[in-house]
Amino acid sequence: MTGKIAPEYLRLMAKPDGLPVLAEWSTALFAEFEGRIRWGGLITNIAFEGQAMKVTCAGYTAYPNGMPYIGSVIRSGAKIAQKWAYDGKDKNHDGYIDGSHPKRKMPKRPKTKVSTRWDAYDIVRTVWSHLQSFKMGKLGVTLDKHDSGYKLGSTSGEDPWELLWWDSPDCGSTITDVMGLASADFLERHYWDGSKEKILHHIDLGTRRLGKSRADLRFAQGENIIEIATPNYQGDFFANNVYVLGKGSGQKTARVRVVVDDKRIRRARVIARKTTANTKSLTASGKAERARHSDQLTIPSIAIRHHPNAPLGSWQLGDRILVQVDIPWVGELAIWHRVVSEEIDPAAGTAVLSLTRSDFYG
């Protein structure tokens, strides 16, 4: 969220304690529309344009980005070495215990144990808990308690997932990576408590289909769509071969290839997912990436006006809407898109919705 503040309001710049009311990484701002909190975030940048102050905010879920994880070591699905009293007791490898009279056969080595496998959402909650464990990091963010059903690491212990503080992992990247492995998504919400005296902050955790399919709303050109951004295909971004590089180095690097036979010449793209060597996970990442690089026509954004077909604020971020437009050289189209961001102007009764194709999410 961005906005400008005119000089006459600068008298509000200091609180009784002498600290500025508006300060980077100190002040939270919220947008309310018809009694409902539509958006909330932290001021991340203050600049000046002429006589006006320009304020830029980012949602609470931007906070983990750039923050190092320095918490407890996490190993999910890792082999646990088992102590064995007979290690080194068969130096001549004849299958018998050295020096035993009469000779006794070596007992079987105990099976290797594998550490508990963490659910992807447990990692997300742990990272947020770590960030909010510091005195000046208590943002009051809560998260859903349910599991994703996706366990990190492998049952064999051959491909453990690790979060090691000495590698200085980025908290934001860690959350993004595990949500990607679980084909999951999140939605940040801010809402009034029962007394409307306090704003609560919560993160919903769900599948890539977090959000609803809004067949109850209508978005049509000539009705409530007043402008569309220039539709586009992929151009140089197009790819029909995707190679995914996983954990490992050199020739031992895990690799999968996702290909679609679309009767076009081969266009390849390589992406890295170095947190796993699991073929299923790497393939899922490859399919999602290939969908993003397909040649399907996309409408990047639409401007709409307040209308009974879709009143302002009737949708949620993540919802899927059917966009009905008439494109020169293409014709009339009805394509399901996902709402990924919004810019609402209540005074003008308009909104701009940024979109991606719904099928890009699988």
Side-chain angles (χ1 to χ4, degrees), residues 34-278:
E34 295 184 344
R36 180 166 158 240
I37 305 296
R38 292 291 301 178
W39 190 89
L42 305 166
I43 293 180
T44 58
N45 184 268
I46 291 178
F48 296 93
E49 291 186 0
Q51 295 294 313
M53 171 186 283
K54 184 179 180 180
V55 179
T56 301
C57 308
Y60 278 44
T61 48
Y63 176 64
N65 297 325
M67 295 289 287
Y69 177 82
I70 53 175
S72 301
V73 170
I74 297 176
R75 289 189 173 92
S76 177
K79 286 184 176 180
I80 302 175
Q82 300 296 304
K83 290 185 178 180
W84 193 37
Y86 295 93
D87 272 328
K89 297 294 182 69
D90 183 16
K91 295 179 180 177
N92 60 358
H93 305 292
D94 64 354
Y96 291 89
I97 300 173
D98 294 340
S100 59
H101 298 288
K103 280 194 170 187
R104 287 187 292 132
K105 286 187 176 182
M106 288 283 287
K108 289 184 178 180
R109 179 180 289 275
K111 291 183 178 180
T112 300
K113 292 184 178 180
V114 177
S115 65
T116 301
R117 297 172 66 203
W118 287 58
D119 185 89
Y121 289 171
D122 283 335
I123 297 295
V124 176
R125 285 186 282 263
T126 297
V127 171
W128 268 104
S129 177
H130 169 66
L131 289 170
Q132 297 190 98
S133 67
F134 295 90
K135 181 179 179 181
M136 297 307 294
K138 300 183 187 302
L139 298 180
V141 174
T142 58
L143 293 91
D144 283 349
K145 301 296 185 183
H146 66 277
D147 289 341
S148 69
Y150 182 89
K151 300 293 185 181
L152 298 168
S154 63
T155 55
S156 66
E158 297 295 335
D159 180 28
W161 186 92
E162 298 178 321
L163 188 60
L164 312 174
W165 60 263
W166 53 84
D167 289 338
S168 300
D170 180 87
C171 289
S173 297
T174 299
I175 291 172
T176 299
D177 288 345
V178 298
M179 294 294 276
L181 290 171
S183 295
D185 211 346
F186 63 82
L187 180 66
E188 177 180 333
R189 284 192 295 119
H190 304 273
Y191 56 97
W192 291 110
D193 66 357
S195 63
K196 279 205 169 185
E197 294 182 353
K198 184 179 180 181
I199 297 176
L200 306 179
H201 324 293
H202 187 76
I203 296 176
D204 296 316
L205 301 172
T207 66
R208 289 281 188 187
R209 292 296 186 177
L210 189 66
K212 299 177 181 178
S213 182
R214 301 305 300 271
D216 57 322
L217 303 180
R218 178 177 169 84
F219 296 84
Q221 200 169 14
E223 296 178 14
N224 57 346
I225 295 180
I226 55 179
E227 188 177 356
I228 67 170
T230 303
N232 57 63
Y233 289 102
Q234 298 295 339
D236 293 339
F237 194 64
F238 171 75
N240 49 17
N241 280 232
V242 174
Y243 295 84
V244 188
L245 305 182
K247 187 181 291 185
S249 59
Q251 292 186 344
K252 294 183 179 180
T253 300
R255 181 176 71 168
V256 301
R257 176 174 173 240
V258 177
V259 180
V260 60
D261 182 8
D262 55 7
K263 310 301 180 184
R264 299 170 184 264
I265 62 173
R266 176 177 174 270
R267 291 279 298 174
R269 180 177 177 84
V270 177
I271 61 172
R273 296 292 184 268
K274 303 301 287 185
T275 57
T276 183
N278 183 273

Side-chain angles (χ1 to χ4, degrees), residues 225 227-230 298-303 323 337 352-356:
I225 295 180
E227 188 177 356
I228 67 170
T230 303
T298 302
I299 299 170
S301 64
I302 58 174
V323 178
H337 282 72
V352 176
L353 307 183
S354 296
L355 310 170
T356 59

